[in-house]
Amino acid sequence: IPLMNMAIFYSNFPDHEHVLAGLKLLKPGIVSLCGLTDMTGRACHNGFMKMEFSGLILNLITQIYKHFPSFPAALQNLL
């Protein structure tokens, strides 16, 4: 894609900031969509925290995580 036609940028590469910085030098108006997955994760987390049973669910997850290493391999694979 020619840079003059590029309007948005997305990458799931963990270290995409240097690429985006270079693109912004060449085309300052470019929009990055790289944070979309983070944004959806935060929205999901915030929605979960508003649920009536979120404390009980978090406690269950904590207990599972605490004992996970002692689970049989088949159960670890399921989880």
Side-chain angles (χ1 to χ4, degrees), residues 43-74:
C44 182
H45 181 264
N46 290 338
F48 170 77
M49 295 309 291
K50 298 289 183 189
M51 291 174 51
E52 182 179 348
F53 300 108
S54 64
L56 294 171
I57 295 168
L58 284 173
N59 186 41
L60 175 63
I61 292 169
T62 301
Q63 292 302 316
I64 289 172
Y65 181 76
K66 187 188 309 183
H67 298 287
F68 188 80
S70 64
F71 291 168

